[in-house]
Amino acid sequence: MPDDTTCYPYGTKGLGLSDADLASAFALPVIMLMGSEDVSREQPFRATPEADAQGKNRMERCLHYFDACQKKAEELGVPFNWKKGVVEGAAHEGGKMAEGTMKLFCEEPLDETVGM
């Protein structure tokens, strides 16, 4: 998370990232995709209290991370060029995520409402 009060891997404390570093990252054209069925807590899944505070599954964590980054960009007054989308029917499955990604890139325009 873009939180300089919490140590890595749950935050950015101790990484030496500046607000300018975050601003540069938020300006990039990042697309965050999540699987609509990626809600399992089976291994491999980090289930520490710190991780669970960010969401109880990967879908929740992705949404929480996206929102936290968007909020941080707003706080910094910098552009936020990230988008998010959902690959319908995919869980934590590389093949299905790749298939959904190609569909989004090749067949459909991607915007924040894709599959949401």
Side-chain angles (χ1 to χ4, degrees), residues 39-82:
V39 296
S40 171
R41 292 179 59 86
E42 295 176 13
Q43 293 296 329
F45 183 81
R46 188 177 292 221
T48 64
E50 297 88 353
D52 284 350
Q54 296 176 359
K56 298 293 183 185
N57 58 59
R58 290 181 186 91
M59 172 74 84
E60 287 181 10
R61 290 176 187 177
C62 184
L63 293 170
H64 184 76
Y65 180 72
F66 185 92
D67 291 344
C69 290
Q70 187 172 37
K71 181 180 176 187
K72 184 67 174 181
E74 289 171 7
E75 288 174 12
L76 296 174
V78 298
F80 185 72
N81 293 322
W82 295 12

